[in-house]
Amino acid sequence: IPRIPLYHALIIGVSNYKNAGPQLPNLDRPVTDARSLYDILTMRYAFPKRTTTLLMNPTREDIINSLDSLAQNITERDNLLIFYAGHGFFDKTTDFGYWLAADAKANSRASWIPNSTIKDYLKAIPAKHTLLISDACFGGSILKSRAISAMDSKKVFELYKDRSRKAITSGNLTLVPDESFFTSYLLKVLKENEQLILPASSLFSRIYEPVLNNSPTVPQFGVIQQAGDEGGDFLFIQDPNKK
């Protein structure tokens, strides 16, 4: 890659719920984890602070406004990372997954954000490479899991050439446990990584086993279907100027 492209990130952590209760408990970790990811990306990787947005305990409106802003400001030469940690809900009967923003109510889905809405934005935002990392289930009908060994064998420059719309998700089908092994290993790998260029598929293969061994969930990596993926992969590039 001759020139480092412009990287954008939208990092969302929801710990405090305005309508918290037994069915929708507050969470300790998401905001802390989101802040840690923001620090790692802006201090070590090629994510400028001016294009990296940290949303702590945002409402549904805050999240949608941020996605609208990305759709208007990102060009097809840019790359985008979206991270979400907070409550998620997956309805097995309808195969619908949701994110629950800070103003969500346990007894009404009106203020929940359906995965299909996120997917529509990922399709509409014209970035060259988009990676979604979600510590809440991203509906099975939307994510097409695939073997990553085929991607790992591709040369880095080949991975970059073709557009991508990929997702890494914790595989959690219910409200997330407060201590997420998924996010802690994700942060650990990004922090300890020594490769100048780390493809998302390699990142996933490094967190897969530890998460599997330490939690009841099975993390997923795959193509976000019908969102414009052409077989490429998202690359995390360490910024040599930040070392």
Side-chain angles (χ1 to χ4, degrees):
I1 306 157
R3 182 184 64 84
I4 294 183
L6 183 57
Y7 277 81
H8 299 254
L10 175 60
I11 302 168
I12 304 164
V14 189
S15 290
N16 299 328
Y17 284 85
K18 294 178 180 179
N19 304 293
Q23 290 176 289
L24 191 64
N26 285 328
L27 298 166
D28 279 344
R29 299 291 317 167
V31 162
T32 311
D33 289 341
R35 197 185 278 120
S36 298
L37 180 62
Y38 175 88
D39 290 342
I40 292 168
L41 293 180
T42 55
M43 289 174 184
R44 289 197 55 176
Y45 292 88
F47 286 83
K49 284 189 173 174
R50 65 188 166 86
T51 55
T52 304
T53 302
L54 175 60
L55 293 183
M56 296 186 284
N57 300 314
T59 61
R60 183 186 196 281
E61 185 179 343
D62 295 332
I63 293 173
I64 298 297
N65 285 344
S66 292
L67 290 167
D68 277 331
S69 171
L70 290 170
Q72 288 157 21
N73 292 307
I74 286 183
T75 78
E76 54 206 21
R77 295 185 304 278
D78 302 344
N79 296 325
L80 170 64
L81 171 71
I82 296 177
F83 171 84
Y84 173 79
H87 279 308
F89 181 78
F90 187 71
D91 186 334
K92 288 185 176 146
T93 52
T94 57
D95 204 17
F96 281 5
Y98 301 89
W99 289 354
L100 277 62
D103 55 343
K105 292 177 181 163
N107 58 358
S108 165
R109 296 188 184 181
S111 59
W112 298 8
I113 304 175
N115 285 174
S116 52
T117 300
I118 308 294
K119 181 185 142 181
D120 287 343
Y121 274 105
L122 297 184
K123 188 176 180 180
I125 294 168
K128 172 126 182 161
H129 296 283
T130 298
L131 176 65
L132 172 75
I133 301 179
S134 175
D135 195 0
C137 182
F138 201 64
S141 57
I142 285 175
L143 189 67
K144 180 181 167 194
S145 291
R146 53 170 298 167
I148 50 176
S149 52
M151 299 199 61
D152 283 344
S153 63
K154 271 188 176 184
K155 290 194 175 71
V156 164
F157 294 106
E158 284 175 38
L159 288 174
Y160 196 80
K161 211 170 57 206
D162 300 321
R163 288 176 89 228
S164 68
R165 294 291 180 275
K166 298 283 192 294
I168 296 175
T169 141
S170 62
N172 282 316
L173 290 177
T174 53
L175 294 175
V176 296
D178 206 7
E179 188 189 353
S180 167
F181 284 102
F182 173 80
T183 302
S184 55
Y185 281 109
L186 173 80
L187 295 170
K188 185 177 182 331
V189 170
L190 285 172
K191 208 178 284 179
E192 295 175 1
N193 166 49
E194 292 182 355
Q195 283 175 245
L196 184 64
I197 298 174
L198 178 69
S201 48
S202 301
L203 170 67
F204 177 77
S205 55
R206 288 195 205 174
I207 65 174
Y208 180 77
E209 287 280 337
V211 173
L212 209 56
N213 295 339
N214 289 286
S215 76
T217 60
V218 180
Q220 309 282 320
F221 173 80
V223 172
I224 298 164
Q225 296 200 66
Q226 295 157 349
D229 186 274
E230 293 173 359
D233 198 1
F234 186 96
L235 305 179
F236 288 87
I237 300 177
Q238 293 220 47
D239 187 337
N241 301 321
K242 291 180 179 175
K243 288 226 152 172

